[in-house]
Amino acid sequence: MNKKLHLAKEKLIVALDVNTTEAALELVRKLSPRVGMFKVGMQLFYSAGPDVVRRIKEEGVRVFLDLKLHDIPNTVAQAARALAGLGADIINVHAAGGTAMMRAAAGAVRERAAALGLPAPLVISVTVLTSIDQPVFQQELGYSGDIQGKVRAWAILTKEAGLDGVVASPKEIAVIREACGDDFKIITPGIRPAWSVSDDQKRIMTPAEAIDQGASYLVVGRPVTGDADPSAAAQKILSEMAEVL
């Protein structure tokens, strides 16, 4: 693997949207030569339980634990403390929970990781989900203004709370970079190669477009795991990413 493809691999996260540890491990073993990190979300975590994170880590890959914690500060801190013991590399919370909640989560994660002698996971916040478009944002959720402005405000709040970055659609990468700097991590779902379908994602870009905008990591699910040949699909995405790296 050449240098650009290796760099692309380190930036590619594949979502393990399956129900069992066995199915997740099968995908990890098939895709790990081309994928640097795997996302364990609610579907897999709630179906298979916390041990699935440890089992995936045993395969020598990184894990993004995507549970979007959102509650009062003490509850989120205690949940984050428990999750930090699983060895995940990234843990997330909802920016909508506010500064006190985010600070409590980050502090609990770093304290627990230090006590266990583990590297501290990145703690990031989720901004506006990529399945939400402007009409839903205003008419159903009741927000004024536009999505980009809200994402920018939440990214700034996240940085001020001491977190490492945000999850946001690729459409907001540029404004987050301008507001929060080059070291701030931006994880972008809503990635759809030109050869795939958009499914329920609304604010989307191709892998090359998102990397060119400045994304730190791309999260891809169904275009890889739903393909008849997931390994070949991942390779196509790597090649597209490498073109702009």
Side-chain angles (χ1 to χ4, degrees):
M1 184 177 288
N2 66 38
K3 185 176 180 180
K4 286 189 174 183
L5 283 173
H6 180 75
L7 183 56
K9 174 186 173 181
E10 294 303 299
K11 290 177 174 288
L12 179 59
I13 303 172
V14 166
L16 299 173
D17 295 330
V18 293
N19 293 324
T20 68
T21 299
E22 292 71 25
L25 291 174
E26 182 180 355
L27 281 170
V28 169
R29 290 164 184 158
K30 186 178 296 184
L31 294 171
S32 57
R34 295 174 175 82
V35 177
M37 192 180 311
F38 292 88
K39 183 172 80 73
V40 174
M42 296 179 193
Q43 177 182 348
L44 178 56
F45 190 85
Y46 295 149
S47 297
D51 196 55
V52 71
V53 177
R54 298 188 184 95
R55 296 283 302 278
I56 293 169
K57 288 290 293 182
E58 287 171 0
E59 297 296 318
V61 297
R62 292 173 293 154
V63 172
F64 168 25
L65 186 51
D66 177 30
L67 300 181
K68 302 179 179 70
L69 304 180
H70 187 184
D71 210 304
I72 63 172
N74 182 66
T75 298
V76 168
Q78 296 309 318
R81 190 185 309 278
L83 296 176
L86 299 177
D89 299 273
I90 303 176
I91 292 171
N92 65 1
V93 301
H94 257 296
T99 303
M101 188 206 77
M102 289 193 282
R103 281 193 182 129
V109 164
R110 291 160 188 164
E111 180 184 285
R112 179 64 172 158
L116 294 172
L118 297 171
L122 296 178
V123 184
I124 61 170
S125 79
V126 179
T127 57
V128 179
L129 300 177
T130 50
S131 58
I132 292 172
D133 58 16
Q134 190 65 33
V136 170
F137 181 72
Q138 291 185 317
Q139 296 165 21
E140 295 185 21
L141 302 185
Y143 289 113
S144 60
D146 60 16
I147 290 174
Q148 190 173 88
K150 176 59 74 178
V151 171
R152 182 182 186 276
W154 274 345
I156 292 170
L157 196 70
T158 298
K159 185 173 183 179
E160 291 174 347
L163 274 65
D164 300 293
V166 292
V167 178
S169 97
K171 300 289 188 182
E172 289 89 51
I173 294 171
V175 296
I176 296 169
R177 277 275 166 257
E178 182 274 328
C180 298
D182 292 338
D183 293 334
F184 197 67
K185 304 300 183 187
I186 304 174
I187 299 177
T188 56
I191 300 300
R192 287 294 182 269
W195 42 268
S196 72
V197 297
S198 61
D199 297 307
D200 55 355
Q201 303 282 13
K202 304 295 184 183
R203 303 183 340 272
I204 62 175
M205 278 188 184
T206 68
E209 289 170 338
I211 289 293
D212 196 47
Q213 285 286 310
S216 307
Y217 299 99
L218 309 186
V219 178
V220 183
R222 286 163 286 188
V224 171
T225 59
D227 195 276
D229 187 342
S231 185
Q235 184 62 48
K236 286 167 68 176
I237 291 170
L238 286 188
S239 298
E240 184 176 339
M241 293 166 67
E243 289 177 2
V244 294
L245 286 170

